[in-house]
Amino acid sequence: DSLQGPVPPELKALSAGADHVFDEAGSGDWKAASASLGAMTAAWERFRAGEVPPRLDDRMMRALERLARAVDGRDSTEARLAAIGVGQSSLDLQLRHRPPSRIDRERFELWARQLPVDVSARDVAGVRGDLATLEWIRDRFANTLDQVDRTRIDTHLSELRTKVTDGDLRGAAAEAVRLGDTLAGLPPA
């Protein structure tokens, strides 16, 4: 069900807005988070005026509603998790326009962002699930990386596995942040 042409600007706006809300909720800037959410909602309404697969339409609507409740309630943890959910839903829609390996790398980045949030929420099962998901997704895009970058990511994942197994959740959160920094320094997908 792939489509020709570039990613629609509305989907880019949803992903960028999700990144903004994640940061704004983390810093407690609720005015900016509300403004970002408004822009995201408008972008979604423009996009969904066209053809949207029903399951993905429903998933995005639920993700935006969850985000709106969290921003309105000024719940930093929930807003950050909901922003990641909107980002994931946007990637689901972008998959029709972009190669799967690029989408998987961006999914990996979102899961790396989620792990520290789950640590702050004291969600041990969530942290374990985040790690398992990171390990699975890694395999779907690792072939697009050079050996040095692949080894760097694998080293982070190994450290994450050790810290989670040892019950060092703060250490796991710090390692996930370092993984995110490494991903940010990689050449574009």
Side-chain angles (χ1 to χ4, degrees):
D1 63 346
S2 66
L3 299 174
Q4 296 297 317
V7 175
E10 295 86 1
L11 294 180
K12 289 180 181 180
L14 282 164
S15 289
D19 287 343
H20 292 305
V21 172
F22 182 90
D23 294 336
E24 293 156 354
S27 68
D29 188 350
W30 297 109
K31 184 176 180 180
S34 292
S36 294
L37 176 61
M40 293 165 67
T41 302
W44 175 243
E45 290 303 321
R46 286 190 308 274
F47 182 79
R48 90 185 280 237
E51 263 188 58
V52 179
R55 287 185 185 168
L56 298 180
D57 180 42
D58 184 55
R59 185 175 298 155
M60 180 62 82
M61 287 299 300
R62 283 182 288 145
L64 284 168
E65 288 167 2
R66 178 183 177 197
L67 182 58
R69 283 190 306 274
V71 169
D72 289 346
R74 297 182 177 213
D75 183 335
S76 179
T77 298
E78 182 62 21
R80 295 176 96 200
L81 291 171
I84 290 169
V86 171
Q88 294 284 14
S89 293
S90 177
L91 289 176
D92 289 341
L93 291 160
Q94 290 180 40
L95 185 57
R96 300 172 78 194
H97 301 272
R98 299 175 59 210
S101 62
R102 291 184 180 171
I103 295 295
D104 287 332
R105 181 166 150 187
E106 290 181 33
R107 284 190 197 289
F108 187 83
E109 292 173 10
L110 288 174
W111 282 101
R113 290 181 101 182
Q114 181 158 338
L115 193 145
V117 179
D118 283 340
V119 167
S120 72
R122 298 183 185 129
D123 182 359
V124 176
V127 170
R128 289 182 181 140
D130 298 341
L131 174 59
T133 303
L134 282 165
E135 291 170 336
W136 291 327
I137 293 174
R138 174 252 180 237
D139 294 340
R140 298 190 328 216
F141 73 92
N143 65 324
T144 66
L145 302 171
D146 67 33
Q147 183 62 41
V148 171
D149 292 334
R150 191 168 41 247
T151 299
R152 292 171 61 205
I153 289 171
D154 290 346
T155 300
H156 287 299
L157 289 175
S158 178
E159 285 296 317
L160 270 171
R161 171 63 58 199
T162 298
K163 293 193 182 309
V164 170
T165 300
D166 291 346
D168 179 7
L169 297 185
R170 284 187 184 197
E175 189 63 39
V177 170
R178 287 189 288 275
L179 171 60
D181 292 343
T182 295
L183 293 168
L186 295 178

PDB file of all heavy atoms in Angstrom, residues 86 115 127 142 144 156 159:
ATOM      1  N   VAL A  86       2.067   9.525  19.624  1.00  0.00           N
ATOM      2  CA  VAL A  86       1.738  10.273  18.405  1.00  0.00           C
ATOM      3  C   VAL A  86       2.862  10.124  17.380  1.00  0.00           C
ATOM      4  O   VAL A  86       2.612   9.928  16.191  1.00  0.00           O
ATOM      5  CB  VAL A  86       1.470  11.761  18.713  1.00  0.00           C
ATOM      6  CG1 VAL A  86       1.347  12.575  17.425  1.00  0.00           C
ATOM      7  CG2 VAL A  86       0.208  11.917  19.555  1.00  0.00           C
ATOM      8  N   LEU A 115      12.332   4.766  27.176  1.00  0.00           N
ATOM      9  CA  LEU A 115      12.877   4.031  28.311  1.00  0.00           C
ATOM     10  C   LEU A 115      13.127   4.914  29.532  1.00  0.00           C
ATOM     11  O   LEU A 115      12.671   4.573  30.629  1.00  0.00           O
ATOM     12  CB  LEU A 115      14.143   3.268  27.898  1.00  0.00           C
ATOM     13  CG  LEU A 115      14.636   2.237  28.895  1.00  0.00           C
ATOM     14  CD1 LEU A 115      15.227   1.038  28.173  1.00  0.00           C
ATOM     15  CD2 LEU A 115      15.645   2.818  29.858  1.00  0.00           C
ATOM     16  N   VAL A 127      10.104  -0.797  31.270  1.00  0.00           N
ATOM     17  CA  VAL A 127      11.533  -0.673  30.938  1.00  0.00           C
ATOM     18  C   VAL A 127      12.026  -1.951  30.279  1.00  0.00           C
ATOM     19  O   VAL A 127      12.744  -1.906  29.271  1.00  0.00           O
ATOM     20  CB  VAL A 127      12.362  -0.340  32.203  1.00  0.00           C
ATOM     21  CG1 VAL A 127      13.855  -0.439  31.923  1.00  0.00           C
ATOM     22  CG2 VAL A 127      12.003   1.049  32.718  1.00  0.00           C
ATOM     23  N   ALA A 142      19.851  -2.415  11.198  1.00  0.00           N
ATOM     24  CA  ALA A 142      21.298  -2.480  11.437  1.00  0.00           C
ATOM     25  C   ALA A 142      22.097  -2.614  10.145  1.00  0.00           C
ATOM     26  O   ALA A 142      23.209  -2.087  10.045  1.00  0.00           O
ATOM     27  CB  ALA A 142      21.625  -3.624  12.387  1.00  0.00           C
ATOM     28  N   THR A 144      21.784  -1.070   7.541  1.00  0.00           N
ATOM     29  CA  THR A 144      21.942   0.223   6.872  1.00  0.00           C
ATOM     30  C   THR A 144      23.068   1.055   7.496  1.00  0.00           C
ATOM     31  O   THR A 144      23.378   2.131   6.990  1.00  0.00           O
ATOM     32  CB  THR A 144      20.638   1.044   6.920  1.00  0.00           C
ATOM     33  OG1 THR A 144      20.356   1.404   8.279  1.00  0.00           O
ATOM     34  CG2 THR A 144      19.477   0.255   6.326  1.00  0.00           C
ATOM     35  N   HIS A 156      25.796   0.061  23.377  1.00  0.00           N
ATOM     36  CA  HIS A 156      24.763   0.686  24.216  1.00  0.00           C
ATOM     37  C   HIS A 156      23.699  -0.337  24.614  1.00  0.00           C
ATOM     38  O   HIS A 156      23.284  -0.383  25.774  1.00  0.00           O
ATOM     39  CB  HIS A 156      24.099   1.860  23.500  1.00  0.00           C
ATOM     40  CG  HIS A 156      24.939   3.079  23.379  1.00  0.00           C
ATOM     41  ND1 HIS A 156      25.422   3.773  24.467  1.00  0.00           N
ATOM     42  CD2 HIS A 156      25.374   3.751  22.276  1.00  0.00           C
ATOM     43  CE1 HIS A 156      26.121   4.816  24.042  1.00  0.00           C
ATOM     44  NE2 HIS A 156      26.110   4.821  22.722  1.00  0.00           N
ATOM     45  N   GLU A 159      25.021  -2.619  27.276  1.00  0.00           N
ATOM     46  CA  GLU A 159      25.049  -1.926  28.574  1.00  0.00           C
ATOM     47  C   GLU A 159      23.639  -1.791  29.142  1.00  0.00           C
ATOM     48  O   GLU A 159      23.425  -1.962  30.349  1.00  0.00           O
ATOM     49  CB  GLU A 159      25.690  -0.540  28.427  1.00  0.00           C
ATOM     50  CG  GLU A 159      27.197  -0.575  28.280  1.00  0.00           C
ATOM     51  CD  GLU A 159      27.889  -1.121  29.524  1.00  0.00           C
ATOM     52  OE1 GLU A 159      27.503  -0.745  30.651  1.00  0.00           O
ATOM     53  OE2 GLU A 159      28.793  -1.952  29.365  1.00  0.00           O
TER      54      GLU A 159
END
